[in-house]
Amino acid sequence: MIRQGKAGSIINASGALGGQGYTGSGNAGLNNHIQNLALESRLKIPLLFGRDVIHGYRTVFPIPLAQAAAFNPGLAEQAASVAAAEATADGVKWTFAPMLDIARDPRWGRIAEGNGEDTYLGTQMAAAVVKGFQGWDMAANDKLVACAKHYVGYGSAEGGRDYDAGEISEPTLRDVYLPPFQAAVQAGVGTVMSAFIDLNGVPATGDRRLLTDVLRGEWGFDGFVVSDWDSVKELVNHGVAEDEAGASLVALHAGVDMDMTSGVYLKTLAHSLQNGRLALGEVDEAVRRILRIKHRAGLFTQPLTDPDRAVTAMLTPGARQLARKFARDCMVLLKNDHNLLPLQGFRRILVAGNFVHARGELYGTWTPDGDPQDVTPLSEALKQVAPANVELWFANSLEEAPNLAQQVDAVLLVLGEHPSRSGENSNVSDLGLPPGQAEFVATMAGLGKPLVLVVFAGRSLAITRQVAQADAVLYAWHPGIEGGAALGEILFGVEAPVGRLPVSFPRVTGQVPIYYNQKNSGRPISADGEFKTRYVDLPTAPLFPFGYGLTYTSFEYSNLKLSAETLRGSLEISADVTNTGARVGSELAQLYVRDLVGSLTRPVRELKDFQHLVLNPGETRRVSFVLHEEQLAFTRANGSRGTEPGVFHAWVAPDSRSGLRGEFRL
Ligand code: BGC
């Protein structure tokens, strides 16, 4: 088929194919062999080799949700750049990333692959990651073509069930779900993937309004759209096409240029042309878009990969160092009673739980090219970082742990989700810890020793009881190849935590969907009287809000100042931040805004900006944000986008539920 010019791209390119685990060098050679077959075809159009390079290639970085917790798009850009350098060395030229789906329901397993619940953070990460993958010139031999996915609304699947249908109102779609994709387009993303979802009754793979009118018409996207796996053929199951020929026509007409894997374009489009159901111009247009990206990716001038580059490009010391920093910076300290962390003065510590010997388990979902052998197991990594006079004991089961715990000074529990419990099609109905782990925590807590709980997970779990039982809780997500050392550095105080939650943490499963930028309702919880928006058996607030995270010192905010009472063009909002603790520390100052009255109801808060500040003990620094009028724009009642005059609140805050509040007019 390749020799006859009947294949245009290869999915799961490189030797590992669909399997897990790095297959070693030689992949470039295999791809070059396949590429040479394409160059024998009549038109000599090179193949595009695509693969899911999601959070690293051989060097596995934290899962995307964890990356978002670092609130540091610059780090995400660097990580994507490393992934591009490694993947291209193996002959991969196209990655199916970044995943830009806003997720408000952690039951959905794919929350692990995105940037969480916030649109502003999502747009910052989108632009950074596209830049990291593609650079300024995607033809460079160490750059990849990126793919913004899954367009769009995929995270709204009902009940958190992957592939299920969703409903999103037009204003919410425009203000919450679409902006990260628009940011990717503005950053020059080469391709976009249509989602599996049936959104508002129109399967995303057949939605001409979104794929053509919005994506190309409004935003000017000129790359190509690829369907998701089999999603063209699945239009038949959705019930918007009678058969494969009909499905192909719906998808192509909607603006899907390339059919991923289902093969129905190849099977049916020629016939549809012959019988007049399809105009050749539509096929030409899809082909033109794909050729444009192949051309932009430099394939016509440089179709082959240097087979020797893989030897030096993989897993460089610099890449590992970056992975270590990223892993550290994404971990979120949720609780630290009596400053139990960093661990100090304990001679003997028991480390217990199912992650004690974790290697590949630290990778998380979507790591077909990560080799577990590259990971120093948690037990080893912690020993390497622990001070010389600290003895570490290990136990991975509940049977052995309690006895050993009697003989130590403190207990460190390392628990959580196996990578296969999050990611595609790995949804849960219960957001508690996996079976057996709650008992583990309860038993260990009952022993009365100082207890640190470290949770590894691909989502926000409902850990209300465990947070109450442990003295300190650190959320480590799936931190990647350097996760063990990074964890050790935080636990033993070599470095301090800086991560913040990119998602609200529910108290129990029944509290989802939960997100900070909700609407006020007519009867908010702050209203008088009994009849208000609440549960009778649960507080309405999340266990931990979006933006929350502690570190080894404390901060105070004071002296909020707005540069004017009225915003004309822009406004400066500033506050003093003081390090009130005894250690150097990093604070993430966040700017939130609320538009009090609109032609449509407005969220109770929206993140508009953030800044990291590193302060010495006792030091005070003024943090200052400039808010521009266009940052207040939204989709108005008449469907147009813009601002509306009126009163606004602004907060400079350490998280989405607290901070200093000021007021201005527009
Ligand atoms: C997933 C995509 C992925 C594709 C190719 C699909 O099942 O939904 O995210 O890029 O497979 O592997």
Side-chain angles (χ1 to χ4, degrees):
M1 284 179 73
I2 293 170
R3 274 206 181 96
Q4 290 167 18
K6 287 189 176 168
S9 62
I10 303 271
I11 188 167
N12 281 333
S14 109
L17 297 174
Q20 295 284 313
Y22 186 68
T23 51
S25 55
N27 298 327
L30 175 64
N31 286 355
N32 283 344
H33 170 71
I34 296 171
Q35 190 69 293
N36 278 319
L37 300 181
L39 298 178
E40 287 174 26
S41 66
R42 185 173 62 91
L43 294 172
K44 306 187 184 348
I45 298 171
L47 297 166
L48 184 54
F49 292 96
R51 190 165 177 84
D52 289 282
V53 182
I54 307 296
H55 51 111
Y57 188 72
R58 178 80 180 270
T59 305
V60 178
F61 294 98
I63 54 168
L65 183 61
Q67 293 194 14
F71 279 77
N72 190 339
L75 274 181
E77 180 179 338
Q78 288 177 50
S81 179
V82 167
E86 292 187 349
T88 48
D90 258 358
V92 177
K93 193 59 193 173
W94 180 27
T95 176
F96 305 118
M99 196 275 226
L100 302 176
D101 299 309
I102 297 291
R104 292 172 159 185
D105 187 339
R107 290 174 297 180
W108 189 51
R110 302 200 81 168
I111 193 171
E113 297 176 54
N115 297 306
E117 73 188 36
D118 184 60
T119 302
Y120 175 71
L121 181 59
T123 59
Q124 300 299 303
M125 295 294 282
V129 174
V130 169
K131 237 187 268 166
F133 281 136
Q134 296 190 167
W136 299 112
D137 176 11
M138 58 172 95
N141 72 350
D142 58 353
K143 290 296 169 193
L144 287 169
V145 181
C147 182
K149 74 183 187 186
H150 307 85
Y151 189 77
V152 61
Y154 186 35
S156 70
E158 280 176 1
R161 293 177 299 271
D162 205 7
Y163 317 132
D164 214 333
E167 303 249 347
I168 304 174
S169 74
E170 185 65 13
T172 301
L173 186 63
R174 293 222 171 236
D175 294 347
V176 177
Y177 288 82
L178 283 171
F181 288 92
Q182 188 173 10
V185 170
Q186 277 163 358
V189 74
T191 67
V192 169
M193 186 187 295
S194 69
F196 286 127
I197 197 166
D198 161 354
L199 182 66
N200 303 332
V202 186
T205 295
D207 193 332
R208 184 171 167 90
R209 186 180 75 93
L210 290 171
L211 287 171
T212 296
D213 301 349
V214 173
L215 182 64
R216 296 185 187 280
E218 292 181 26
W219 302 347
F221 175 67
D222 71 349
F224 74 83
V225 173
V226 61
S227 76
D228 203 347
W229 191 283
D230 275 358
S231 71
V232 175
K233 186 161 89 180
E234 289 167 9
L235 292 175
V236 175
N237 293 345
H238 279 293
V240 294
E242 255 177 37
D243 53 18
E244 292 181 347
S248 300
L249 290 174
V250 169
L252 187 71
H253 185 63
V256 175
D257 306 301
M258 187 187 279
D259 166 13
M260 183 193 284
T261 66
S262 83
V264 294
Y265 275 12
L266 204 58
K267 207 160 134 191
T268 67
L269 287 181
H271 191 242
S272 296
L273 275 170
Q274 281 155 10
N275 65 23
R277 288 176 80 191
L278 173 65
L280 188 57
E282 273 198 66
V283 180
D284 283 346
E285 186 50 38
V287 169
R288 186 176 293 122
R289 291 167 182 160
I290 294 168
L291 289 178
R292 181 180 297 141
I293 293 305
K294 287 189 174 183
H295 185 263
R296 221 171 261 171
L299 288 175
F300 286 96
T301 45
Q302 209 184 0
L304 301 176
T305 305
D306 170 4
D308 296 330
R309 199 160 65 81
V311 181
T312 52
M314 302 294 167
L315 215 54
T316 64
R320 270 202 183 266
Q321 223 176 356
L322 180 66
R324 170 98 52 112
K325 174 162 176 55
F326 216 168
R328 244 173 10 224
D329 286 6
C330 71
M331 294 183 185
V332 186
L333 182 62
L334 297 175
K335 178 180 180 181
N336 195 18
D337 277 4
H338 318 297
N339 293 326
L340 176 55
L341 292 178
L343 294 166
Q344 268 165 346
F346 299 113
R347 286 291 313 283
R348 216 180 257 169
I349 300 171
L350 175 68
V351 186
N354 61 324
F355 270 76
V356 161
H357 300 294
R359 283 180 190 264
E361 293 80 4
L362 299 178
Y363 280 165
T365 184
W366 273 126
T367 54
D369 302 292
D371 184 346
Q373 296 309 316
D374 295 336
V375 185
T376 307
L378 209 54
S379 48
E380 279 304 308
L382 292 179
K383 265 196 233 156
Q384 286 168 13
V385 185
N389 61 347
V390 172
E391 233 178 87
L392 293 181
W393 290 12
F394 298 97
N396 57 8
S397 76
L398 183 52
E399 282 71 59
E400 43 180 351
N403 273 342
L404 293 174
Q406 306 292 358
Q407 303 162 58
V408 300
D409 308 313
V411 175
L412 174 64
L413 274 184
V414 287
L415 295 170
E417 295 188 303
H418 186 270
S420 61
R421 207 170 181 266
S422 62
E424 185 171 353
N425 201 24
S426 295
N427 321 306
V428 295
S429 64
D430 181 348
L431 288 168
L433 286 168
Q437 296 187 11
E439 292 77 0
F440 207 149
V441 181
T443 306
M444 300 310 281
L447 302 176
K449 303 274 176 175
L451 179 65
V452 180
L453 173 63
V454 177
V455 180
F456 294 91
R459 55 165 58 81
S460 39
L461 290 168
I463 49 171
T464 307
R465 183 160 299 162
Q466 293 74 40
V467 168
Q469 289 165 337
D471 302 292
V473 181
L474 182 72
Y475 216 76
W477 316 99
H478 288 133
I481 191 165
E482 287 289 320
L487 177 65
E489 288 173 353
I490 288 191
L491 293 176
F492 293 106
V494 182
E495 300 283 346
V498 303
R500 299 302 180 98
L501 296 180
V503 281
S504 307
F505 267 47
R507 290 170 191 270
V508 296
T509 310
Q511 211 179 15
V512 302
I514 186 165
Y515 48 95
Y516 82 95
N517 47 352
Q518 65 188 91
K519 299 297 182 67
N520 198 41
S521 89
R523 292 182 175 190
I525 196 69
S526 57
D528 293 335
E530 277 300 298
F531 292 87
K532 41 197 183 187
T533 316
R534 63 164 196 186
Y535 297 105
V536 291
D537 60 349
L538 195 73
T540 42
L543 181 62
F544 297 110
F546 172 86
Y548 173 86
L550 304 170
T551 185
Y552 294 156
T553 183
S554 49
F555 297 94
E556 241 173 57
Y557 286 65
S558 59
N559 298 326
L560 179 79
K561 204 176 145 232
L562 278 65
S563 62
E565 281 173 14
T566 303
L567 187 151
R568 291 194 176 80
S570 68
L571 182 78
E572 194 185 334
I573 302 167
S574 58
D576 285 335
V577 182
T578 305
N579 180 347
T580 53
R583 210 187 133 125
V584 178
S586 173
E587 169 70 349
L588 183 79
Q590 301 157 44
L591 175 70
Y592 292 93
V593 167
R594 176 174 178 185
D595 183 350
L596 290 185
V597 179
S599 58
L600 290 180
T601 59
R602 309 289 297 120
V604 293
R605 272 199 198 200
E606 287 176 294
L607 182 68
K608 294 295 174 187
D609 206 350
F610 53 80
Q611 271 179 49
H612 293 270
L613 304 169
V614 178
L615 298 181
N616 287 316
E619 186 184 348
T620 297
R621 186 131 15 111
R622 207 150 174 83
V623 61
S624 158
F625 297 99
V626 179
L627 183 68
H628 298 276
E629 180 172 350
E630 54 270 25
Q631 288 172 275
L632 304 175
F634 67 103
T635 302
R636 299 173 290 200
N638 65 7
S640 67
R641 188 175 171 79
T643 57
E644 288 175 351
V647 179
F648 291 74
H649 284 165
W651 291 260
V652 175
D655 63 60
S656 60
R657 285 185 73 87
S658 56
L660 303 175
R661 193 183 81 186
E663 194 175 294
F664 65 91
R665 294 193 74 87
L666 173 71

